[in-house]
Amino acid sequence: MGRPDLFLVPLFALTLSVFQPFYLTDALEYIPKHIEKCVNQQIDHVDNFVDCTYSNTNDNVCQKQFKKLWKKLTRSRRGNAPVCSEDYPPSDPIISVVGACKEASFREQQCDALTDIFLGLAYGEDIGSDVCEDDKIRCPDGSYVSRNPKNNCKFYDCPVEKCSGSKKYCWDGSYVEQDPYDYCRYPDC
């Protein structure tokens, strides 16, 4: 005689499908390829929440809208699998992070970066080596370079300007060459 609990599995699945339509074929397709879609949509929702919070909109309106969109990610629609399999990370900690940004008078870009780091940590990314400050330096040629996360956040090298190669002779008989890192000016003798 077979195991009696195996009879309950199809019955349980049928009961679940009545309350929330979700099809097994969708579930099997969902697991590997939708994780990236889930994270990308979460990032979009968080960015929109930060934008809303930093606009002149009432914070309660922004939070309510964000929670509604966040929940939608875990609901199946028209027999399709939900975008995210679970409500992770929960929306409340993200709301707290954005609230802390405003209390600390962070700029909107700083809050965007902080929420991106939060989501990265929630998904187990090693973000310490890939995050640098978002500042730039101006190079002698007028261009800007940012920091290189793969080189301990040191600035990328400025493009070297080609100088004419001429030399300036000094009073003591020595000479100096043009400095490509200083607009091809001659250094002092």
Side-chain angles (χ1 to χ4, degrees):
M1 181 178 232
R3 292 179 46 186
D5 55 338
L6 289 179
F7 172 74
L8 297 176
V9 173
L11 182 61
F12 181 68
L14 178 64
T15 306
L16 282 179
S17 68
V18 170
F19 294 108
Q20 183 173 359
F22 187 81
Y23 303 100
L24 183 59
T25 55
D26 293 330
L28 295 175
E29 290 178 8
Y30 167 80
I31 293 172
K33 69 181 181 181
H34 284 20
I35 293 172
E36 185 174 339
K37 185 177 180 183
C38 171
V39 173
N40 287 336
Q41 286 201 10
Q42 285 181 338
I43 290 169
D44 287 345
H45 289 333
V46 171
D47 288 345
N48 291 336
F49 174 55
V50 171
D51 291 344
C52 179
T53 303
Y54 275 83
S55 69
N56 292 329
T57 309
N58 182 334
D59 286 350
N60 290 336
V61 171
C62 297
Q63 290 176 13
K64 190 174 183 179
Q65 179 183 358
F66 174 67
K67 283 184 175 186
K68 181 178 177 183
L69 290 171
W70 201 257
K71 276 276 191 227
K72 273 188 175 180
L73 292 175
T74 60
R75 291 194 191 125
S76 61
R77 287 177 275 169
R78 296 186 195 129
N80 294 323
V83 176
C84 299
S85 62
E86 59 180 306
D87 187 16
Y88 182 81
S91 59
D92 289 338
I94 295 168
I95 291 170
S96 297
V97 168
V98 175
C101 287
K102 282 196 77 173
E103 276 187 44
S105 301
F106 283 10
R107 294 187 325 266
E108 184 175 347
Q109 297 85 351
Q110 291 172 308
C111 195
D112 277 332
L114 189 59
T115 55
D116 288 349
I117 290 169
F118 179 85
L119 284 174
L121 288 171
Y123 284 102
E125 293 178 15
D126 180 17
I127 57 155
S129 60
D130 293 341
V131 176
C132 298
E133 287 196 35
D134 193 23
D135 56 342
K136 295 179 170 50
I137 58 168
R138 186 169 192 230
C139 296
D141 68 352
S143 65
Y144 290 88
V145 292
S146 58
R147 295 183 181 271
N148 181 353
K150 300 198 182 336
N151 191 14
N152 294 327
C153 292
K154 293 179 183 172
F155 286 103
Y156 286 100
D157 292 332
C158 285
V160 178
E161 187 175 331
K162 300 277 187 200
C163 300
S164 66
S166 63
K167 300 174 184 173
K168 176 181 170 185
Y169 289 94
C170 300
W171 61 270
D172 64 355
S174 64
Y175 65 90
V176 290
E177 296 182 19
Q178 292 174 313
D179 184 358
Y181 294 103
D182 190 23
Y183 303 101
C184 291
R185 294 181 186 142
Y186 292 101
D188 294 334
C189 286

